[in-house]
Amino acid sequence: MTDTTRSLSQEPLLLADLSSPETRDLLPRIELVLLPVGAHEQHGPNIAVSTDTISADALCRAAAARVGPAVAVAPVVPWGVSWHHLRFAGTIALRPSTLIAVLEDVIGSLHAHGLRRFLVVNGHGGNTAAITTAIEQIKHDTGVPLIASVFGYALIAEQAKILLPAEAIGHGGGDEAALVMAVEPHRAKPTAFAPPRPTGVQVETAALLRAYGGSLARRYDEVTHNGVTGDATSASPKIGQLILDGAARRLAEIIEVVLREADAAEKAQANVNGRGR
Amino acid sequence: MTDTTRSLSQEPLLLADLSSPETRDLLPRIELVLLPVGAHEQHGPNIAVSTDTISADALCRAAAARVGPAVAVAPVVPWGVSWHHLRFAGTIALRPSTLIAVLEDVIGSLHAHGLRRFLVVNGHGGNTAAITTAIEQIKHDTGVPLIASVFGYALIAEQAKILLPAEAIGHGGGDEAALVMAVEPHRAKPTAFAPPRPTGVQVETAALLRAYGGSLARRYDEVTHNGVTGDATSASPKIGQLILDGAARRLAEIIEVVLREADAAEKAQANVNGRGR
Amino acid sequence: MTDTTRSLSQEPLLLADLSSPETRDLLPRIELVLLPVGAHEQHGPNIAVSTDTISADALCRAAAARVGPAVAVAPVVPWGVSWHHLRFAGTIALRPSTLIAVLEDVIGSLHAHGLRRFLVVNGHGGNTAAITTAIEQIKHDTGVPLIASVFGYALIAEQAKILLPAEAIGHGGGDEAALVMAVEPHRAKPTAFAPPRPTGVQVETAALLRAYGGSLARRYDEVTHNGVTGDATSASPKIGQLILDGAARRLAEIIEVVLREADAAEKAQANVNGRGR
Amino acid sequence: MTDTTRSLSQEPLLLADLSSPETRDLLPRIELVLLPVGAHEQHGPNIAVSTDTISADALCRAAAARVGPAVAVAPVVPWGVSWHHLRFAGTIALRPSTLIAVLEDVIGSLHAHGLRRFLVVNGHGGNTAAITTAIEQIKHDTGVPLIASVFGYALIAEQAKILLPAEAIGHGGGDEAALVMAVEPHRAKPTAFAPPRPTGVQVETAALLRAYGGSLARRYDEVTHNGVTGDATSASPKIGQLILDGAARRLAEIIEVVLREADAAEKAQANVNGRGR
Amino acid sequence: MTDTTRSLSQEPLLLADLSSPETRDLLPRIELVLLPVGAHEQHGPNIAVSTDTISADALCRAAAARVGPAVAVAPVVPWGVSWHHLRFAGTIALRPSTLIAVLEDVIGSLHAHGLRRFLVVNGHGGNTAAITTAIEQIKHDTGVPLIASVFGYALIAEQAKILLPAEAIGHGGGDEAALVMAVEPHRAKPTAFAPPRPTGVQVETAALLRAYGGSLARRYDEVTHNGVTGDATSASPKIGQLILDGAARRLAEIIEVVLREADAAEKAQANVNGRGR
Amino acid sequence: MTDTTRSLSQEPLLLADLSSPETRDLLPRIELVLLPVGAHEQHGPNIAVSTDTISADALCRAAAARVGPAVAVAPVVPWGVSWHHLRFAGTIALRPSTLIAVLEDVIGSLHAHGLRRFLVVNGHGGNTAAITTAIEQIKHDTGVPLIASVFGYALIAEQAKILLPAEAIGHGGGDEAALVMAVEPHRAKPTAFAPPRPTGVQVETAALLRAYGGSLARRYDEVTHNGVTGDATSASPKIGQLILDGAARRLAEIIEVVLREADAAEKAQANVNGRGR
């Protein structure tokens, strides 16, 4: 296990920064690869289409900076499964099979170099099913020791609920807008901030099915007229930074649990194998 | 909207029972198709590998019997995405892509006949990602008016938590065993009922990632030595029947909401279109 | 080789009835797995869309009951390749590639548990090409010792030709109707029994190409106006039971040949390998 | 309908001989395209690996020469589904999915130019399932008016049974050897002609399953030690020419039936459509 | 046509900067989308694995800044077809089919919003075949008015040949190193700059096949021991900036030709259509 | 290394001519397999749609005849990636994925028999991207010692530029027409020879992008009205024979380099491995 009590100001270890020999030399010390997956989809008038890419990437970098160089960050996947937003201009949507193939190739390549633990940090809810399918497929096909996912937005919303009014939370809402203001200010559009305009259609259906582990497949224009379900007007860069710091701290804590338990599991497995001989 | 206040004793409308002309004549009155999806996977020594198929199918039939012939039941899909159980004898596992293809073909065929609303009732958690991907793909490709999913086991567990001790709830546990005892008694094995033997490995990791909308991809033999996570010893046929009745009643209520809101949404849409002309 | 002189009344060994440890314990004694494949397609006004699923499943169960527990029955595949019936209401059609994927996954899973001999019992002629492709692919990819197929309807028609007039034989005809009356009476519709209404189109073409090992690809509505090519009016439950008994007896005889010759082939191969050392 | 009483000496219409404008001008007069599909697989010591390609192509050319320019011949597909022969040197095997893709692309392209009737003439039994799947898929996807297949070897064997002793008939046997001697003499190897050396394994199994519309998937080295199942020693170029002439005459007769009934079917359909208006 | 005589200091139009309504409003004025495609592959000790991603993206931004907001830049694809570099640590390789799927989805989505002209700017030679396949497939499937590709490295090498000695040009050489020094200085490793260590194997073969429009498929470790084929020691940030400026100026000139001729082609086509009516 | 100073008159070694035992006996002496890939696409009024198939096949045969039996020729692939010619009658187009699958299967089969060096000789420019993708995929998947491609038309055009005026060179031009006249005279149409009728559209765009390693995806009817870009009127059989002889001589020289360097590379590798032990 690596020591994770480090200064917050250190730079995260980015795979894209390294030359090949530098990567080779660091491989034995990298205990976890974070793979951020974003989206390129409408978030109404409030923030840029790159919002989920920004938030997944920023969260990984901030958490990796906290944990230190035992955790490396792979290049962010800049689009995701966003078919339901395609009627709003600018959205780019991957087919689920395309995102699965990308994850198989990226993680498969890194695994071939000897990296053995992977955490996908997902910035967009629409990616969840494809990511789950991909990591299970990779686990089954390659036997990689650890592959897992976490929904980065859940970490962000947890912090935002403390710092912002309830109506701010939601797609394109104050939680996401604040984070963009903090990280990539020119991609927030405060002069255009608008309250959500929900359609009011099938609200109970969607909530009931979600409560019972299911979902209602629908386009986002069936949900909201302006593409937004949260109110961005209370967002500020300062709140965004607090959200990011809190979410990254929580993600770093999770990573410590992941690594500690993975070490324990491998030690236990080694004992079993030793006895078996 | 159909009147759903009916006697409990009526027979459910099964598509497999109908001839082609009978189907043709009923098509205009079928407001929803339930598609149960099961699994053929180990549930430890307690119950048969067909447990999730039994529970998804029984739940659909019981709910359809309650709601009446506005709801039809399609033939159950008798296997699912169970790669993680393959080290336990008897498990049959579909690739996610295979299950997605099956759902596309089955729902696509029924949609081609004019059926317009579909609810997938999923008996096995491992199917969730593939089902979500499938129904979103079908929605995107065909524009079918309503396609959704619900996790049948969540409905069952909700009832079981009232009727059984907490330690009974879980894979192969008292909740599932009771239901099998009620519906297909010869597929429960009460003389072999055994308590779960968890490995104790990566427990906090799995819980944390789940709490934040993610997951840890792992084989089930990494979770439990005997394939079971719930204690079946408190199960009885009578409790199983109560669980099934309660879950079916709740599913019937959900279906009523689904149909009511779908009718409202279509009426609203028709008004929009009318004004647009 | 197993002793196959058994009473007719015994229960067939169904994989779906077993728990995982039960399966594990029985694995060494299972010499053959029967995998029934059906269809969910129109059979005119005479019988339900599930006819081919019923007949393939019933035939496997009855033959397995005769041969005894050396032969296990897998869950029936409840749909097949039925694109040519899609203009008749109720038909569900899998793409050939979907059925092939299902067979690969189901047989591949069972093979991974150590089962080594598989006989696909096909209830629907439209499945033949996909099944042939699948079993050859599986043979090539896995080297499974024995994988084969038989057309269950050919076994049924052989018996029916003895018991029914010639014009009764055909799709949705007296042969199939009688069997459904015997096995699942509520899925036969005797009050709606209707004679076939052939289109009379391309009759000689189809016969000639079939006689020379080929086929004419066409929709079934190009063949018959009411979806039926046999006359069901002479069907009765009693004849259906006689057909099923006769066909199952013949299938049991075939299974005995299959197992006897497979044992001999393996013994011969072992001798070759022994000498080779 | 075209007049098919022509001299035998005319040249067949080959698509590969034509320039694009020549093709365009002939399109309205081409009533049927023959698409020969061969194989590149071992035929023992007796004949070259290209045997099935030779026979399918020669049969198409000879039949087209008889019927005249209403029938065009597409370039022969020079390989097929031959996985079961791969243990014999020289065999090239397409995956079934590859052959299906080739047929979809070739026929799809020709159909896009306005050609509307296609007959696949198959020289190799192992191709049958893939061809059947392909033509049904093409029919379903494109609605092409006529697409069918015939097993060319069945036409050849029919003639050979008249002209050669029974033991000559079979894979690499006198029937195929004679035809190769007549058409491509340097691809027959009379000095190496050898009798078949069957393994004698699973003979009854294979025959029984075939008799009941099924098959036993096995490699050809499980069937015969030297790759041959017929005796070539009675073959001669003269007999080969007689076989080819007889088979081509029969194929020409079949083509006349196909075209006559297709014309009738289209006329009938036009009447229905006319009344429908 | 847009006026392209602009100041060099303006910011390029990046799709990722825009909100959805901003995108919608700009759509009619965007005449071309540049899609940079990079790689994440070893460039020896000299520069980071992200080199080709950096260069493709920087080139697109600089050219778009010159041409002005009629040209928009899509998010860079951060990996490519790099299987041949996988034996060098850190390389991530997409299968060709994955890159093709990504391009289909990204360009397909943007085309669905009404964008009609696309230029893929490729930073990595290994991507060429997949990009060519993708753009031809997209052209064929969607009929998009203009889709094309250019090899960004060819533009860079053209400038570098003027500014650097001949031995500097090559994979990981002075041309690429200089550009990285100018754009992302921390991703160049001047203290590790090393001369190439070619294997000397199959040099004439590769050159001959390339000269005659072919290629020799081989891993990069068969070509060079240290992953590099150019000498980086002459690189400097200043030269890198000159290379980038020159290459961007040339790309801007090419874009002007592309847009001018595309306008002319559409005008000509409109005249043809007009006369046709 | 084989001795390649042979008489020109010898017959080339064609795999299709051999029986399986003949192939088996020759395998150790075959040092290279040539795989010609053609097309079935319009070449205007001048020559048949089979032109590229003829030229790739003839070139392989002539070069193999020169080099001798160390070089074998596989059956020509008679179609290619020709979507851009589909608006001209007669063109058959494979999807790129289909051609890739064919090459994988053909080369994979031959590789399984022990053949280790493959050179794809491509007769049609539109095939280049698919062939490059295929050979790299095969190299990566199988580790085959040598797999490469050459553009046969480049060899032909090199000779033609010496023997014909500049305006004769091009698609359907004098270079291709002369070769067809020499090899398959009935597939040249001298009475219909017509000069090219270019559209004049996007000429500079296409040239610029090509000069910088890219391409403009467009249909051939956007390039030329009559499908031709070279003038065939100067073609003659004699010039065709000179072109073929010259191109084959050059290909034989290339093959000698390929084999010599491949021998050297294997020897070097063996030394490395020897020292490594």
Side-chain angles (χ1 to χ4, degrees):
Chain A
M1 258 301 295
T2 183
D3 168 21
T4 57
T5 54
R6 280 158 224 264
S7 133
L8 299 185
S9 60
Q10 69 185 347
E11 287 297 310
L13 177 64
L14 305 185
L15 293 179
D17 282 347
L18 305 175
S19 73
S20 177
E22 288 173 346
T23 312
R24 185 194 60 215
D25 294 345
L26 283 171
L27 281 175
R29 281 176 282 165
I30 298 176
E31 297 187 18
L32 183 71
V33 177
L34 300 182
L35 173 50
V37 181
H40 186 101
E41 78 180 19
Q42 72 86 17
H43 281 70
N46 300 345
I47 31 182
V49 290
S50 49
T51 292
D52 297 343
T53 300
I54 294 168
S55 70
D57 199 29
L59 187 54
C60 286
R61 289 169 185 243
R66 282 177 175 273
V67 182
V71 172
V73 183
V76 64
V77 180
W79 347 258
V81 178
S82 301
W83 66 273
H84 44 315
H85 292 280
L86 272 173
R87 295 213 180 171
F88 292 93
T91 300
I92 291 174
L94 298 192
R95 284 163 288 180
S97 58
T98 303
L99 181 54
I100 291 169
V102 165
L103 296 175
E104 285 176 341
D105 290 357
V106 170
I107 296 174
S109 295
L110 296 174
H111 185 222
H113 296 305
L115 294 163
R116 301 175 321 113
R117 294 172 181 168
F118 299 90
L119 180 61
V120 177
V121 178
N122 175 22
H124 166 51
N127 295 337
T128 301
I131 289 172
T132 302
T133 298
I135 67 177
E136 302 211 338
Q137 194 76 47
I138 294 167
K139 173 75 178 176
H140 182 50
D141 290 348
T142 71
V144 54
L146 188 140
I147 185 161
S149 67
V150 69
F151 185 25
Y153 177 71
L155 292 157
I156 287 163
E158 182 182 47
Q159 299 300 316
K161 281 171 186 160
I162 304 168
L163 296 159
L164 289 169
E167 65 269 22
I169 313 301
H171 186 76
D175 43 2
E176 296 192 309
L179 194 142
V180 173
M181 289 172 112
V183 180
E184 301 252 20
H186 68 292
R187 288 180 172 171
K189 321 285 173 175
T191 60
F193 279 177
R197 294 179 44 221
T199 62
V201 164
Q202 290 178 308
V203 173
E204 193 179 349
T205 296
L208 268 172
L209 294 176
R210 200 180 312 118
Y212 287 101
S215 68
L216 174 65
R218 52 181 180 163
R219 301 190 316 274
Y220 223 65
D221 56 290
E222 296 176 305
V223 178
T224 159
H225 293 298
N226 66 342
V228 170
T229 66
D231 188 335
T233 51
S234 51
S236 74
K238 192 176 160 189
I239 291 174
Q241 191 60 49
L242 289 171
I243 289 173
L244 179 59
D245 289 347
R249 192 176 54 240
R250 190 77 187 107
L251 180 52
E253 290 165 2
I254 292 171
I255 288 169
E256 288 192 56
V257 173
V258 167
L259 292 180
R260 175 164 36 80
E261 287 199 340
D263 285 349
E266 292 190 14
K267 196 169 293 177
Q269 189 59 40
N271 285 341
V272 169
N273 292 347
R275 279 201 302 275
R277 278 179 209 132
Chain B
M1 259 299 296
T2 182
D3 168 21
T4 58
T5 53
R6 279 159 225 265
S7 135
L8 300 185
S9 59
Q10 71 186 344
E11 288 297 311
L13 177 63
L14 306 184
L15 293 179
D17 282 347
L18 304 175
S19 73
S20 177
E22 287 173 346
T23 312
R24 185 194 58 214
D25 294 346
L26 283 171
L27 281 176
R29 279 176 284 165
I30 298 177
E31 297 186 19
L32 183 70
V33 176
L34 300 182
L35 173 51
V37 181
H40 186 101
E41 80 180 17
Q42 73 85 20
H43 282 70
N46 300 346
I47 31 181
V49 290
S50 49
T51 292
D52 297 344
T53 300
I54 294 167
S55 69
D57 199 29
L59 187 53
C60 287
R61 289 170 185 244
R66 282 177 176 272
V67 182
V71 172
V73 182
V76 64
V77 180
W79 345 259
V81 177
S82 300
W83 66 273
H84 46 313
H85 291 279
L86 272 173
R87 296 211 180 174
F88 293 93
T91 300
I92 292 173
L94 298 191
R95 284 163 287 180
S97 58
T98 303
L99 180 54
I100 291 168
V102 165
L103 296 175
E104 285 176 339
D105 290 357
V106 171
I107 296 174
S109 295
L110 296 173
H111 185 221
H113 296 305
L115 294 163
R116 302 176 320 114
R117 293 171 181 169
F118 299 90
L119 180 62
V120 177
V121 178
N122 174 24
H124 166 51
N127 295 338
T128 301
I131 289 172
T132 302
T133 299
I135 65 177
E136 302 211 339
Q137 194 77 49
I138 295 166
K139 173 75 178 179
H140 182 49
D141 291 347
T142 70
V144 54
L146 188 139
I147 185 160
S149 67
V150 70
F151 186 24
Y153 177 72
L155 292 157
I156 287 164
E158 182 181 48
Q159 299 299 317
K161 281 171 187 161
I162 304 167
L163 296 159
L164 288 169
E167 65 270 20
I169 312 301
H171 187 74
D175 43 2
E176 296 192 308
L179 193 142
V180 173
M181 289 171 113
V183 178
E184 301 252 20
H186 69 292
R187 288 180 171 171
K189 321 285 173 175
T191 61
F193 278 177
R197 294 179 45 219
T199 62
V201 164
Q202 292 178 307
V203 172
E204 194 179 348
T205 297
L208 268 172
L209 294 175
R210 200 179 312 118
Y212 288 101
S215 68
L216 175 64
R218 52 182 182 166
R219 302 189 314 274
Y220 223 65
D221 55 291
E222 295 176 304
V223 178
T224 160
H225 292 300
N226 66 345
V228 168
T229 65
D231 189 337
T233 51
S234 51
S236 75
K238 191 175 161 191
I239 292 174
Q241 192 60 50
L242 288 170
I243 289 173
L244 180 59
D245 289 347
R249 192 177 54 240
R250 190 77 186 106
L251 180 52
E253 291 165 2
I254 292 170
I255 289 169
E256 290 191 56
V257 173
V258 167
L259 293 180
R260 176 165 35 82
E261 288 198 339
D263 286 348
E266 293 190 14
K267 196 169 293 177
Q269 189 61 39
N271 284 341
V272 169
N273 293 346
R275 278 201 301 275
R277 274 178 214 132
Chain C
M1 259 299 297
T2 184
D3 168 21
T4 57
T5 54
R6 280 157 225 265
S7 132
L8 299 184
S9 60
Q10 70 185 345
E11 287 297 311
L13 177 64
L14 306 185
L15 293 179
D17 282 347
L18 304 175
S19 74
S20 176
E22 288 174 346
T23 312
R24 185 194 58 213
D25 295 346
L26 283 172
L27 280 175
R29 280 176 283 165
I30 298 176
E31 297 186 19
L32 183 70
V33 177
L34 300 182
L35 173 51
V37 181
H40 186 101
E41 79 180 20
Q42 73 85 18
H43 282 70
N46 299 347
I47 32 181
V49 289
S50 50
T51 291
D52 297 343
T53 300
I54 293 168
S55 70
D57 199 29
L59 187 54
C60 286
R61 288 169 184 244
R66 283 176 176 273
V67 182
V71 172
V73 182
V76 65
V77 180
W79 348 258
V81 178
S82 300
W83 65 274
H84 45 315
H85 292 279
L86 271 173
R87 296 211 180 173
F88 292 93
T91 300
I92 291 174
L94 298 191
R95 284 163 287 180
S97 58
T98 302
L99 180 55
I100 291 169
V102 165
L103 296 175
E104 284 176 340
D105 290 358
V106 170
I107 295 174
S109 295
L110 296 173
H111 185 223
H113 295 306
L115 293 164
R116 301 175 324 112
R117 293 171 181 168
F118 299 90
L119 180 61
V120 177
V121 178
N122 175 22
H124 166 53
N127 295 337
T128 301
I131 289 172
T132 302
T133 298
I135 68 177
E136 302 212 337
Q137 193 78 46
I138 294 167
K139 173 75 177 177
H140 181 50
D141 290 347
T142 71
V144 55
L146 188 139
I147 185 160
S149 67
V150 70
F151 186 25
Y153 177 71
L155 292 157
I156 288 163
E158 182 182 47
Q159 300 300 317
K161 280 170 187 162
I162 305 167
L163 297 158
L164 288 169
E167 65 269 23
I169 312 300
H171 187 75
D175 43 2
E176 296 192 308
L179 194 141
V180 173
M181 290 172 112
V183 179
E184 301 251 21
H186 68 293
R187 288 179 171 170
K189 322 284 173 177
T191 60
F193 279 176
R197 296 178 44 220
T199 62
V201 164
Q202 291 177 307
V203 172
E204 193 180 349
T205 296
L208 267 173
L209 295 176
R210 201 179 312 118
Y212 287 100
S215 67
L216 175 64
R218 52 181 180 165
R219 301 189 316 274
Y220 223 65
D221 55 290
E222 295 176 304
V223 178
T224 159
H225 293 299
N226 66 343
V228 170
T229 64
D231 189 335
T233 51
S234 52
S236 75
K238 192 176 161 189
I239 291 174
Q241 191 60 49
L242 288 171
I243 289 173
L244 180 59
D245 289 347
R249 193 176 53 241
R250 190 78 186 105
L251 180 53
E253 290 165 2
I254 292 171
I255 289 169
E256 290 191 56
V257 173
V258 167
L259 292 180
R260 175 163 37 81
E261 288 199 339
D263 285 349
E266 292 190 13
K267 196 169 291 178
Q269 189 59 39
N271 284 343
V272 168
N273 292 346
R275 278 202 301 276
R277 276 179 211 130
Chain D
M1 259 301 295
T2 182
D3 169 20
T4 58
T5 54
R6 281 158 224 265
S7 134
L8 298 185
S9 59
Q10 70 185 346
E11 288 298 311
L13 177 64
L14 305 185
L15 293 179
D17 283 347
L18 304 176
S19 73
S20 177
E22 286 174 346
T23 313
R24 185 194 58 214
D25 294 346
L26 283 171
L27 281 175
R29 279 175 284 164
I30 298 177
E31 298 187 18
L32 182 71
V33 176
L34 300 182
L35 173 51
V37 181
H40 186 101
E41 80 181 17
Q42 73 86 19
H43 282 70
N46 300 347
I47 30 180
V49 290
S50 49
T51 293
D52 298 344
T53 300
I54 294 167
S55 70
D57 200 30
L59 188 53
C60 287
R61 289 170 185 243
R66 283 177 175 273
V67 182
V71 172
V73 182
V76 63
V77 180
W79 346 259
V81 177
S82 300
W83 65 274
H84 46 314
H85 292 280
L86 272 173
R87 295 211 180 172
F88 293 93
T91 300
I92 292 174
L94 298 191
R95 284 163 287 181
S97 58
T98 303
L99 180 53
I100 291 169
V102 165
L103 296 175
E104 285 176 339
D105 291 357
V106 171
I107 296 174
S109 295
L110 296 174
H111 186 221
H113 295 305
L115 293 164
R116 302 176 322 113
R117 294 171 181 170
F118 299 89
L119 180 61
V120 177
V121 178
N122 175 23
H124 166 52
N127 295 338
T128 301
I131 289 172
T132 302
T133 299
I135 66 176
E136 302 210 338
Q137 194 77 47
I138 294 166
K139 174 74 178 179
H140 182 49
D141 291 347
T142 70
V144 55
L146 188 140
I147 184 161
S149 67
V150 70
F151 185 25
Y153 177 72
L155 292 157
I156 288 163
E158 183 182 47
Q159 299 299 317
K161 280 170 188 161
I162 304 166
L163 297 158
L164 288 167
E167 65 270 20
I169 312 300
H171 187 75
D175 43 2
E176 297 192 307
L179 193 140
V180 174
M181 290 172 111
V183 178
E184 301 251 21
H186 67 293
R187 288 180 172 171
K189 322 284 173 175
T191 62
F193 279 177
R197 295 179 44 221
T199 62
V201 164
Q202 292 178 307
V203 172
E204 193 180 347
T205 297
L208 268 172
L209 294 175
R210 202 179 311 118
Y212 289 100
S215 67
L216 175 64
R218 52 181 180 166
R219 301 189 315 274
Y220 223 65
D221 55 291
E222 296 176 304
V223 178
T224 159
H225 293 298
N226 66 345
V228 169
T229 65
D231 189 337
T233 50
S234 51
S236 74
K238 192 176 161 191
I239 291 174
Q241 191 61 49
L242 288 171
I243 289 174
L244 180 59
D245 289 347
R249 192 177 53 241
R250 190 77 185 106
L251 180 53
E253 290 165 2
I254 292 171
I255 289 169
E256 290 192 55
V257 173
V258 167
L259 292 180
R260 175 165 35 81
E261 288 199 340
D263 286 348
E266 292 190 14
K267 196 169 292 177
Q269 189 60 41
N271 285 341
V272 168
N273 292 347
R275 279 202 302 276
R277 277 181 211 129
Chain E
M1 259 298 295
T2 181
D3 169 19
T4 58
T5 53
R6 278 158 226 266
S7 136
L8 299 185
S9 61
Q10 71 184 346
E11 288 297 310
L13 177 64
L14 305 184
L15 293 178
D17 283 346
L18 304 175
S19 73
S20 178
E22 287 173 346
T23 313
R24 185 196 58 215
D25 294 345
L26 283 171
L27 281 175
R29 280 175 284 165
I30 299 177
E31 297 187 18
L32 182 70
V33 177
L34 300 182
L35 173 51
V37 181
H40 186 102
E41 80 181 16
Q42 73 86 18
H43 281 70
N46 301 346
I47 31 180
V49 290
S50 48
T51 292
D52 297 344
T53 300
I54 294 167
S55 69
D57 199 29
L59 187 53
C60 286
R61 289 171 185 241
R66 281 177 177 274
V67 182
V71 172
V73 182
V76 64
V77 180
W79 346 259
V81 178
S82 299
W83 66 273
H84 45 314
H85 292 280
L86 272 173
R87 296 211 180 172
F88 293 93
T91 300
I92 292 173
L94 298 192
R95 284 163 286 181
S97 58
T98 303
L99 180 54
I100 292 169
V102 165
L103 296 175
E104 285 176 340
D105 290 357
V106 171
I107 296 174
S109 295
L110 295 174
H111 185 222
H113 296 305
L115 294 163
R116 303 176 318 114
R117 293 171 181 169
F118 299 90
L119 179 62
V120 178
V121 178
N122 174 24
H124 166 52
N127 296 337
T128 302
I131 290 172
T132 302
T133 299
I135 66 176
E136 302 210 339
Q137 195 77 48
I138 294 166
K139 173 75 178 179
H140 182 49
D141 291 347
T142 70
V144 54
L146 187 139
I147 185 160
S149 67
V150 70
F151 185 24
Y153 177 72
L155 292 157
I156 288 163
E158 182 182 47
Q159 300 299 317
K161 280 170 188 162
I162 304 167
L163 297 159
L164 288 168
E167 64 270 20
I169 312 301
H171 186 75
D175 44 0
E176 296 192 308
L179 193 142
V180 174
M181 289 172 113
V183 179
E184 301 253 18
H186 68 292
R187 288 179 172 171
K189 322 284 173 174
T191 61
F193 279 176
R197 294 179 45 220
T199 63
V201 164
Q202 291 178 307
V203 172
E204 194 180 348
T205 296
L208 268 172
L209 295 175
R210 199 179 314 118
Y212 288 100
S215 68
L216 175 64
R218 51 181 181 165
R219 302 189 315 274
Y220 223 65
D221 56 289
E222 295 176 305
V223 177
T224 159
H225 293 298
N226 66 345
V228 169
T229 64
D231 188 335
T233 51
S234 52
S236 73
K238 192 176 161 191
I239 291 174
Q241 191 61 48
L242 288 171
I243 290 173
L244 180 58
D245 289 347
R249 193 176 53 240
R250 190 76 186 106
L251 181 52
E253 290 165 2
I254 292 172
I255 289 169
E256 291 191 56
V257 172
V258 167
L259 293 180
R260 175 165 36 81
E261 288 199 340
D263 285 348
E266 292 190 13
K267 196 169 292 178
Q269 188 60 39
N271 284 342
V272 169
N273 293 346
R275 280 201 301 275
R277 274 179 214 132
Chain F
M1 258 303 295
T2 182
D3 169 22
T4 56
T5 54
R6 280 158 224 266
S7 133
L8 299 184
S9 59
Q10 70 185 346
E11 287 297 311
L13 177 64
L14 305 185
L15 293 178
D17 282 346
L18 304 175
S19 74
S20 177
E22 288 173 346
T23 312
R24 185 194 60 214
D25 295 345
L26 283 172
L27 281 175
R29 280 176 283 165
I30 298 176
E31 298 187 18
L32 183 70
V33 176
L34 300 182
L35 174 50
V37 181
H40 186 101
E41 79 181 19
Q42 72 87 17
H43 282 69
N46 300 346
I47 31 181
V49 289
S50 50
T51 292
D52 298 343
T53 300
I54 294 168
S55 70
D57 199 28
L59 187 54
C60 286
R61 290 169 184 243
R66 283 176 174 273
V67 182
V71 172
V73 183
V76 65
V77 180
W79 347 258
V81 178
S82 300
W83 66 273
H84 45 313
H85 292 279
L86 272 172
R87 296 211 179 171
F88 292 93
T91 300
I92 291 174
L94 299 192
R95 284 163 288 181
S97 59
T98 302
L99 180 54
I100 292 169
V102 165
L103 295 174
E104 285 176 340
D105 290 357
V106 171
I107 295 174
S109 295
L110 296 173
H111 185 222
H113 296 305
L115 294 164
R116 301 176 321 112
R117 294 173 181 166
F118 298 89
L119 180 62
V120 178
V121 178
N122 175 22
H124 166 52
N127 294 338
T128 301
I131 289 173
T132 302
T133 298
I135 67 176
E136 302 211 339
Q137 194 76 47
I138 294 167
K139 173 75 177 177
H140 182 50
D141 291 347
T142 70
V144 55
L146 189 139
I147 185 161
S149 67
V150 70
F151 185 26
Y153 176 72
L155 292 156
I156 288 163
E158 182 182 47
Q159 300 299 318
K161 281 171 186 161
I162 305 167
L163 297 158
L164 288 169
E167 65 270 22
I169 312 301
H171 187 75
D175 44 3
E176 297 192 308
L179 194 142
V180 174
M181 289 172 112
V183 180
E184 301 251 21
H186 68 292
R187 288 180 171 170
K189 322 284 173 177
T191 60
F193 279 176
R197 294 179 44 221
T199 63
V201 165
Q202 291 177 307
V203 172
E204 192 179 350
T205 296
L208 268 173
L209 295 175
R210 199 178 314 117
Y212 287 101
S215 68
L216 175 64
R218 52 181 181 165
R219 302 189 316 273
Y220 223 66
D221 56 290
E222 296 175 305
V223 178
T224 159
H225 292 299
N226 67 343
V228 169
T229 65
D231 188 336
T233 50
S234 51
S236 75
K238 192 176 162 192
I239 291 174
Q241 191 60 49
L242 289 171
I243 289 173
L244 179 60
D245 289 346
R249 193 176 53 240
R250 189 77 186 107
L251 180 53
E253 290 165 1
I254 292 171
I255 289 170
E256 288 191 57
V257 172
V258 167
L259 292 179
R260 176 164 36 82
E261 288 199 338
D263 286 348
E266 293 190 13
K267 196 169 291 177
Q269 189 59 39
N271 285 342
V272 169
N273 293 346
R275 279 201 302 275
R277 276 179 211 133

